[in-house]
Amino acid sequence: GAGVSQTPSNKVTEKGKYVELRCDPISGHTALYWYRQSLGQGPEFLIYFQGTGAADDSGLPNDRFFAVRPEGSVSTLKIQRTERGDSAVYLCASSLTGLAGETQYFGPGTRLLVL
Amino acid sequence: DAKTTQPPSMDCAEGRAANLPCNHSTISGNEYVYWYRQIHSQGPQYIIHGLKNNETNEMASLIITEDRKSSTLILPHATLRDTAVYYCIVRVLGNTPLVFGKGTRLSVIA
């Protein structure tokens, strides 16, 4: 079946602009995670959804970052007033229920470049 | 911060076994050892995980020492497509995110 998909695959924007990144999890997966990966580093956790609610948003770097998942499926990561330091690959992952030991399946990521 | 230590890079000849070490000396009794890999320009891919017993699946084997302070991921017959960054992660029970370190960059050489 279809895996996790993310759109757009690449996004170039200017400093100060607003961007939205979309994640379509595997159908039926209730848990959804956002990570950010800078060049040469491993992915860093941003936020975790269980259903429609954000169960853990401790990884969001500041209040310019916000994510929603209104119907418990598709999620959108929103970044306001983008800064050059926001340039990274934004990864989304989903798992069936989010319980211990479950595999997280990752999408290909959105490469964000802030000029 | 990641609770694991891995060598930054390793080489392996095609067709040979690749043995990737990981130290996790501060692992807790309820933490699993997970391995993911990330091929260039792709998202991370789950490989295998274990608690204290050795595990094997179609991709790899995981050997965990008796004291659980270290483990080794074994790719029995490495191919060029196994070239990737391999991440060793320890994760507590519950709905917790993955905490990635920098991983080991494995280069499989023809």
Side-chain angles (χ1 to χ4, degrees):
Chain A
V4 177
S5 63
Q6 294 185 244
T7 54
S9 54
N10 294 280
K11 176 71 177 178
V12 181
T13 191
E14 294 179 344
K15 180 174 177 291
K17 299 290 188 182
Y18 168 82
V19 296
E20 290 189 351
L21 312 178
R22 176 186 169 110
C23 172
D24 283 80
I26 293 172
S27 179
H29 280 196
T30 62
L32 185 146
Y33 306 79
W34 282 99
Y35 294 82
R36 177 169 73 170
Q37 186 171 25
S38 300
L39 194 62
Q41 306 294 318
E44 293 179 302
F45 168 72
L46 295 176
I47 186 170
Y48 155 56
F49 286 89
Q50 184 62 259
T52 61
D56 181 354
D57 64 358
S58 61
L60 294 177
N62 52 59
D63 61 6
R64 295 186 298 105
F65 289 75
F66 189 70
V68 295
R69 196 185 184 200
E71 298 178 358
S73 179
V74 171
S75 176
T76 305
L77 178 66
K78 308 181 181 192
I79 310 174
Q80 298 177 319
R81 305 181 304 280
T82 53
E83 299 177 358
R84 293 194 180 89
D86 298 335
S87 297
V89 176
Y90 289 81
L91 294 160
C92 175
S94 71
S95 64
L96 187 59
T97 66
L99 294 177
E102 273 189 355
T103 299
Q104 291 185 22
Y105 297 90
F106 283 81
T110 293
R111 285 156 187 76
L112 175 67
L113 176 61
V114 181
L115 300 176
Chain B
D1 289 344
K3 294 179 63 176
T4 61
T5 304
Q6 299 177 253
S9 63
M10 291 182 65
D11 292 338
C12 177
E14 188 179 21
R16 306 285 252 183
N19 298 283
L20 292 95
C22 179
N23 286 323
H24 31 79
S25 59
T26 61
I27 192 170
S28 301
N30 62 348
E31 287 180 319
Y32 288 80
V33 180
Y34 279 77
W35 284 83
Y36 277 74
R37 74 179 182 184
Q38 189 171 24
I39 295 169
H40 182 62
S41 296
Q42 297 183 21
Q45 175 192 23
Y46 166 81
I47 301 173
I48 199 167
H49 74 280
L51 184 62
K52 55 182 177 181
N53 297 322
N54 297 338
E55 302 287 344
T56 295
N57 64 20
E58 65 278 4
M59 289 183 69
S61 294
L62 174 60
I63 308 298
I64 302 174
T65 58
E66 192 170 343
D67 64 6
R68 302 208 325 124
K69 293 185 177 182
S70 66
S71 60
T72 301
L73 179 75
I74 301 172
L75 307 179
H77 304 287
T79 71
L80 298 178
R81 287 176 293 182
D82 292 321
T83 292
V85 178
Y86 287 76
Y87 296 100
C88 170
I89 298 164
V90 294
R91 184 184 184 203
V92 298
L93 296 176
N95 302 338
T96 56
L98 298 168
V99 180
F100 291 83
K102 292 189 176 183
T104 295
R105 183 173 298 277
L106 176 70
S107 298
V108 180
I109 302 165

